[in-house]
Amino acid sequence: MAAGIESPTRWSTIRKDVRSLAVLPNLVDYDEACRTFTWDSARRELTGLPGGGVNIAFEAAHRHAVGERAEREALRFVRADGTTHSLTYRGLSEEANRFASVLRSLGIGRGDRVFSLAGRIPSLYVAMMGTLTNASVFCPLFSAFGPDPIRQRLQLGTGRVLVTTRALYRKKVAPIRSALPELRHVFLVDAEGAPEPDTLDLTALLRDAEPYGPVAETQREDMALLHFTSGTTGTPKGAIHVHDAVAAHLATGRFALDLHPDDIYWCTADPGWVTGTSYGVIAPLVHGVTSIVDEEELDAERWYRILAEQRVSVWYTAPTALRMLMKAGAPLAHEHDLSALRFVASVGEPLNPEVVVWGTEAFGLPVHDNWWQTETGGIMIANYAATEIRPGSMGRPLPGVQAALVRRDDEDRPVMLDGEAELVTEPGTVGELALRPGWPSMFRGYLNEEERYRRCFVGGWYLTGDLATRDADGYYWFVGRGDDVIKSSGHLIGPFEVESCLLEHEAVAEAGVIGIPDPVAGALVKAFVELRPGREPSDALRLDIIGFARKRLGPAIAPRELDFVESLPKTRSGKILRRLLKARELGLPEGDTSTVEGSR
Ligand code: ATP
Ligand code: MG
């Protein structure tokens, strides 16, 4: 892209409709927090191990097991029928100790990798805390993965132990077991009474183990978690995270999620993805709040029921879920008592301004976008809980986070001046979003891919691969992933802007936008649209939607072509897969599809 091209953002029509939403208590002013906060101050807030080290499981579970939080529910699981069962902080700590003791007795120790392959069941949380207690490394896999992605990741990560269920084992792991000589033990969480060949019965092992024991002394830089990225742009990468990360989970849990000790907090992400561990497990436990865990899948009616019946006060979810609720309509939201809820936060892909405005009205609450990545391990840019929201913007860098936009040349490489990356300073100009390394939850490498890791850093900045603009007040606006932006007749078009505009049309439920090659313009914008319930595809509707977009975006940016689809391809973490839309459109190979929803 040519350096200095104006960003084609035009948000004013939406921005003026929205009231100022600076409503949340107990947070110091954003500017004040930016001036005074340091990551070291967050590190000092941790309890720390007696020997001076730090351990995520100690901060999240064991230190709460004595004292006033001991009997508080740490995790409250909601069953399919709506009934619940819980683990208290003391219970979680004891179970984690038992799990660590089982690992020790089997010779699994420091740095050994323990994988999980399970739905959101209690054993998954116990295994995670127990693994960290033992100084081993935890790597969660999404339970809907098929045998091949499971094998790849276990091989890449040298999995020594796998925690799973009998059904998942039989269907997906037994067939690949012979290809995994390094995998020493498979623990089944539900093997009671009927042994399964080549596996161990976890319930029996835990029953016989000691509920009290030492927390292994781990240091800040010791590896704690291995997380595979969502695979939106290609082959998933194994991001390495260390125990130091917990300082970031503590601070960002306060700044971006406004967690307070009495909160009932619900993060809908699966622990198979980084959001589900950083903010589905670690951050809420470190803050000593009660976390809701829904064992079922996404469903509008059920979700509203959980929000109401469990008296959820802070809700962390994703744009795809909010769009699903929008599709179901505001009256459904109004049927439920959401009076306990303070605010809604979202992460994972761009949050369309239309959804922010809809959510604000439907829930009567602010909806906060958050930007971060598997690599950053924690929230980096967000609507700091006590600041005004600008719908369509990701917000501002959290205190302690130094963000910038690196200028890119015509070949999409960073522009360098005397070894320094040139930064975009003009408001509204596109650059690659970059972060100054040094925050605690930053990844410390891609497993076995040193060169790929090294390439992420230029002139003292970590390059995120995402393009954005910044306005005069320091709010960041997502333009697109570097690979997804469309260059058409000298314009730089972010798919997010076009998709957000399409979503404003009353018939559109979801939209995915790509560039298709064109000999004259370089690329033309093509949209794939999923309609709202009750709307039928027709040529008239196609023209109407294109006309609607042209009026708002202008002919250079509005889609030239539009196809109706039943559903858009998504990653299992709920992101629209534009690379797949493009490959299918152009008849190209589909690449790595291990994380595609519906694939096996
Ligand atoms: P891969 O790196 O394997 O292609 P991925 O980037 O989707 O997959 P994640 O680490 O889960 O894997 O997702 C991080 C990315 O998701 C960000 O780099 C960004 O592109 C997108 N994203 C996350 N939150 C937001 C947000 N609030 N607004 C816009 N984009 C977001
Ligand atoms: Mg990525």
Side-chain angles (χ1 to χ4, degrees):
M1 137 207 11
I5 283 185
E6 270 294 296
S7 158
T9 40
R10 268 171 301 282
W11 304 108
S12 50
T13 49
I14 291 155
R15 200 185 297 158
K16 74 170 184 287
D17 295 342
V18 173
R19 0 176 196 147
S20 169
L21 296 163
V23 288
L24 298 164
N26 295 336
L27 275 167
V28 287
D29 172 73
Y30 174 76
D31 297 316
E32 171 73 17
C34 287
R35 258 195 313 278
T36 53
F37 175 78
T38 63
W39 292 114
D40 274 339
S41 66
R43 290 184 177 109
R44 281 195 297 274
E45 269 190 69
L46 299 172
T47 305
L49 297 175
V54 60
N55 183 291
I56 294 175
F58 182 73
E59 302 301 327
H62 303 301
R63 73 181 170 126
H64 300 311
V66 285
E68 60 186 45
R69 288 217 181 93
E71 300 311 324
R72 168 135 207 221
E73 291 169 281
L75 298 157
R76 186 189 297 165
F77 298 87
V78 185
R79 298 190 186 93
D81 64 2
T83 59
T84 62
H85 57 116
S86 307
L87 259 177
T88 61
Y89 275 94
R90 198 215 317 249
L92 178 62
S93 166
E94 289 180 3
E95 289 298 298
N97 280 331
R98 289 179 201 269
F99 191 91
S101 146
V102 168
L103 291 181
R104 269 198 306 279
S105 69
L106 294 169
I108 303 297
R110 192 171 288 275
D112 284 337
R113 319 270 159 74
V114 176
F115 279 61
S116 67
L117 176 74
R120 293 180 288 274
I121 54 174
S123 302
L124 173 60
Y125 298 79
V126 167
M128 178 171 168
M129 287 298 130
T131 300
L132 298 172
T133 303
N134 192 47
S136 305
V137 173
F138 190 68
C139 179
L141 297 178
F142 190 50
S143 59
F145 279 152
D148 231 39
I150 294 170
R151 181 188 50 72
Q152 275 170 7
R153 286 163 177 78
L154 276 163
Q155 278 173 343
L156 186 66
T158 325
R160 292 263 186 257
V161 174
L162 174 70
V163 182
T164 188
T165 64
R166 189 197 297 272
L168 288 170
Y169 179 75
R170 282 190 180 163
K171 194 162 149 208
K172 302 176 177 190
V173 184
I176 55 167
R177 187 78 190 265
S178 60
L180 298 166
E182 307 274 12
L183 182 61
R184 295 207 200 123
H185 307 287
V186 174
F187 296 169
L188 296 190
V189 304
D190 54 357
E192 261 177 309
E196 180 81 23
D198 303 322
T199 66
L200 296 170
D201 172 352
L202 183 61
T203 318
L205 291 171
L206 291 177
R207 195 184 315 119
D208 297 339
E210 261 296 312
Y212 309 104
V215 175
E217 179 83 21
T218 42
Q219 302 302 319
R220 259 162 57 171
E221 291 301 314
D222 288 349
M223 185 169 168
L225 296 158
L226 176 63
H227 256 298
F228 288 94
T229 60
S230 292
T232 312
T233 41
T235 316
K237 299 150 270 188
I240 295 168
H241 291 283
V242 298
H243 283 275
D244 195 27
V246 67
H249 299 139
L250 173 75
T252 55
R254 180 178 303 137
F255 292 146
L257 300 174
D258 190 39
L259 292 177
H260 286 59
D262 291 336
D263 274 322
I264 306 286
Y265 163 81
W266 184 21
C267 169
T268 59
D270 190 277
W273 309 113
V274 71
T275 305
T277 53
S278 291
Y279 297 100
V281 188
I282 304 170
L285 293 179
V286 170
H287 280 272
V289 309
T290 296
S291 269
I292 300 296
V293 181
D294 181 22
E295 295 179 354
E296 298 298 302
E297 294 308 314
L298 198 148
D299 171 273
E301 179 103 44
R302 175 179 173 83
W303 278 23
Y304 282 128
R305 226 174 22 243
I306 292 176
L307 288 169
E309 285 172 6
Q310 303 304 325
R311 308 291 299 152
V312 172
S313 54
V314 176
W315 192 36
Y316 199 18
T317 188
T320 181
L322 292 170
R323 287 193 298 262
M324 190 236 348
L325 296 182
M326 189 164 111
K327 200 163 142 185
L332 192 60
H334 297 150
E335 281 170 24
H336 295 83
D337 173 10
L338 305 181
S339 58
L341 200 58
R342 288 209 312 282
F343 75 102
V344 180
S346 160
V347 71
E349 56 168 357
L351 183 64
N352 318 85
E354 182 70 7
V355 179
V356 175
V357 174
W358 178 85
T360 307
E361 281 160 13
F363 311 136
L365 290 167
V367 181
H368 289 231
D369 195 8
N370 289 194
W371 176 94
W372 60 290
Q373 310 177 302
T374 308
E375 289 86 343
T376 71
I379 304 169
M380 296 281 108
I381 296 180
N383 294 272
Y384 178 83
T387 53
E388 178 197 338
I389 290 172
R390 297 189 176 172
S393 158
M394 315 188 278
R396 288 185 285 183
L398 289 183
V401 175
Q402 200 187 335
L405 298 172
V406 169
R407 204 182 296 284
R408 307 202 333 168
D409 65 17
D410 290 337
E411 256 96 62
D412 296 339
R413 288 176 313 227
V415 177
M416 300 296 290
L417 290 174
D418 303 329
E420 292 285 315
E422 189 189 336
L423 302 183
V424 171
T425 50
E426 321 83 272
T429 300
V430 179
E432 180 166 359
L433 181 57
L435 301 162
R436 188 69 91 184
W439 69 96
S441 62
M442 156 137 175
F443 74 136
R444 303 302 203 264
Y446 287 129
L447 193 70
N448 305 338
E449 292 190 275
E450 187 53 39
E451 174 56 23
R452 199 175 193 180
Y453 178 64
R454 227 181 33 74
R455 279 203 311 268
C456 297
F457 298 89
V458 166
W461 293 93
Y462 161 66
L463 296 176
T464 67
D466 287 344
L467 302 186
T469 65
R470 187 180 46 226
D471 66 24
D473 300 317
Y475 282 75
Y476 281 78
W477 301 75
F478 186 77
V479 170
R481 290 166 181 274
D483 300 346
D484 284 343
V485 291
I486 304 159
K487 294 166 198 168
S488 179
S489 306
H491 294 276
L492 175 70
I493 302 170
F496 172 51
E497 181 180 33
V498 184
E499 290 160 8
S500 293
C501 170
L502 292 169
L503 231 65
E504 288 178 50
H505 188 284
E506 40 82 33
V508 176
E510 288 214 86
V513 163
I514 59 167
I516 49 173
D518 177 80
V520 181
L524 290 181
V525 177
K526 171 150 191 176
F528 296 83
V529 160
E530 192 181 315
L531 292 175
R532 288 193 183 223
R535 301 304 302 255
E536 290 300 322
S538 70
D539 284 341
L541 184 56
R542 176 181 295 113
L543 287 177
D544 188 61
I545 298 173
I546 292 179
F548 174 89
R550 282 175 81 99
K551 211 147 79 205
R552 280 169 174 69
L553 298 171
I557 295 171
R560 295 290 175 89
E561 292 184 24
L562 188 150
D563 282 359
F564 294 112
V565 292
E566 281 289 310
S567 66
L568 291 165
K570 288 194 184 142
T571 63
R572 294 183 187 283
S573 48
K575 300 163 194 265
I576 296 171
L577 268 164
R578 297 174 194 85
R579 77 169 156 93
L580 211 58
L581 282 172
K582 196 162 176 172
R584 287 176 185 169
E585 176 71 19
L586 303 178
L588 299 171
E590 296 196 352
D592 189 303
T593 54
S594 61
T595 64
V596 177
E597 204 176 42
S599 70
R600 282 290 176 274

